[in-house]
Amino acid sequence: MTTAKIRVLATGGTIAGSAGSALQRGYAPGQIGIDAMMASVAELGLDAELDGIDIAAVGSQDIGWRDWQALHREIAAATSDDGISGIIVTHGTDTAEETALLLDLTHPATKPVVLVGAMRPADAVGSDGMRNFANAVRVAGDHMAAGRGVLVVMGDSIFAAIDVRKAATSSIDAFRGFPRGALGMVTPLTLDWFGPPDRPGAAARFAWPDALPHVEVVYAHAGMDAGLVEGALSRGARGIVLAGMGQGNAPTTVLDALEAAVKRGALVVRASRVDEGSVDRNLEVDDDARGFVASRSHNPQKARILAQLLVASGITDPLAAQAHFDRR
């Protein structure tokens, strides 16, 4: 068996965090360098050669365009390097689903790209970081991981970027998948896929943009008025994602303001503030008449990433945009 050669791109997060005490609740993310992390996982004796690049050392709430540009550049280079079997991105959990989807939509599904994080810092009692990292090494080094797009490995589960979401604030098993659950299960010793790759050899859906356009998420609530919509437009938003009630709904005055935003050239996507479920077209809201897009299985934060790529690609016609939200 050929030893897998894996490129590790580190961005910080809890997986590289330190509390200074095994019982300390608070901690600082991104305190442990990638060399130290790779040395620790090397001691486990996994059949892999790792080399690492530090991209950032931040909590993922601070991940932004510059970090995404660096990740894109390094993933593209590793993908074109015949000597590299797979890529791991260490990442904070708060925005892991957003980074994963952005990378998934802008890179070909030819080599495994695996995001991994932790829910507890490295020096906490019961830290999950090293196990998750070891699991990510096993996944990234497996040839069956290719052709599945970007993957997220957390809590012994493997999720597709398009399905994954953070569903709990602090549990070790905080990540879930919708509409699909996990694609497989992994431990440092075992790896079981629940089905074959569904995107073998698929090209990137979008070219990497020069910049991500301004798209805002507007959170619906009882008694809201249209001020949040007007505020987003006044700040130059080229798209608005509604984190709507239930099936992506909002008060009529808000829907009217969103319809007016469409007429001014904005891409408007209806998503839901509900944790799980699809937002479908023309149920409670007449999307055809108002010019809206239904987010389907994309939650608001993922809908924003896809909307940004659509606007950056010049795709603002509602039906053309809908085709991308419908696509798996």
Side-chain angles (χ1 to χ4, degrees):
M1 179 181 293
T2 303
T3 297
K5 296 183 179 179
I6 299 172
R7 173 71 42 80
V8 183
L9 307 175
T11 67
T14 303
I15 194 170
S18 175
S21 167
L23 300 178
Q24 179 75 22
R25 186 173 178 85
Y27 64 93
Q31 299 299 297
I32 301 172
I34 190 58
D35 289 340
M37 294 175 64
M38 291 191 303
S40 294
V41 81
E43 294 175 359
L44 301 177
L46 297 174
D47 187 24
E49 294 180 13
L50 308 181
D51 69 79
I53 299 173
D54 282 308
I55 300 294
V58 298
S60 66
Q61 70 275 7
D62 288 320
I63 287 284
W65 177 242
R66 182 177 296 180
D67 307 309
W68 285 336
Q69 283 181 305
L71 284 173
H72 166 73
R73 181 178 63 249
E74 296 298 342
I75 290 171
T79 299
S80 63
D81 187 337
D82 292 338
I84 294 176
S85 307
I87 302 114
I88 292 173
V89 178
T90 62
H91 199 285
T93 59
D94 284 352
T95 60
E97 64 202 81
E98 292 159 82
T99 296
L101 184 63
L102 175 63
L103 298 176
D104 183 68
L105 293 171
T106 54
H107 286 274
T110 51
K111 283 186 181 180
V113 178
V114 180
L115 260 72
V116 65
M119 295 302 296
R120 297 172 182 167
D123 54 357
V125 173
S127 173
D128 55 327
M130 191 49 58
R131 182 181 181 91
N132 288 344
F133 194 178
N135 288 347
V137 170
R138 182 163 290 280
V139 173
D142 186 74
H143 73 282
M144 287 293 290
R148 301 177 189 269
V150 173
L151 302 169
V152 175
V153 170
M154 289 288 296
D156 291 359
S157 294
I158 310 165
F159 299 99
I162 195 169
D163 300 315
V164 74
R165 73 190 193 285
K166 187 175 181 178
T169 59
S170 58
S171 301
I172 290 294
D173 59 345
F175 281 74
R176 301 284 187 274
F178 179 83
R180 294 180 297 180
L183 301 184
M185 301 296 292
V186 60
T187 75
L189 298 176
T190 62
L191 173 57
D192 294 292
W193 296 103
F194 299 157
D198 59 346
R199 291 162 53 189
R205 193 191 309 188
F206 296 97
W208 187 258
D210 294 330
L212 286 176
H214 181 187
V215 174
E216 287 205 20
V217 177
V218 172
Y219 194 93
H221 55 85
M224 75 180 296
D225 59 28
L228 292 175
V229 175
E230 294 300 329
L233 294 174
S234 70
R235 290 188 293 274
R238 297 175 62 190
I240 297 175
V241 174
L242 172 68
M245 308 161 185
Q247 266 271 355
N249 215 333
T252 301
T253 55
V254 175
L255 296 178
D256 290 343
L258 290 169
E259 183 178 348
V262 171
K263 293 175 180 176
R264 292 165 62 178
L267 179 66
V268 172
V269 181
R270 292 189 307 106
S272 178
R273 68 184 196 180
V274 177
D275 181 58
E276 185 172 293
S278 293
V279 174
D280 297 316
R281 287 189 66 81
N282 300 322
L283 292 181
E284 296 181 54
V285 177
D286 190 338
D287 294 300
D288 290 341
R290 291 184 178 273
F292 297 161
V293 177
S295 70
R296 302 300 303 280
S297 63
H298 298 75
N299 63 19
Q301 54 268 38
K302 287 186 175 182
R304 175 177 174 266
I305 293 291
L306 179 49
Q308 287 179 297
L309 289 171
L310 288 167
V311 174
S313 301
I315 302 172
T316 57
D317 174 77
L319 292 181
Q322 185 67 64
H324 283 274
F325 278 91
D326 290 345
R327 181 175 169 182
R328 296 293 302 168

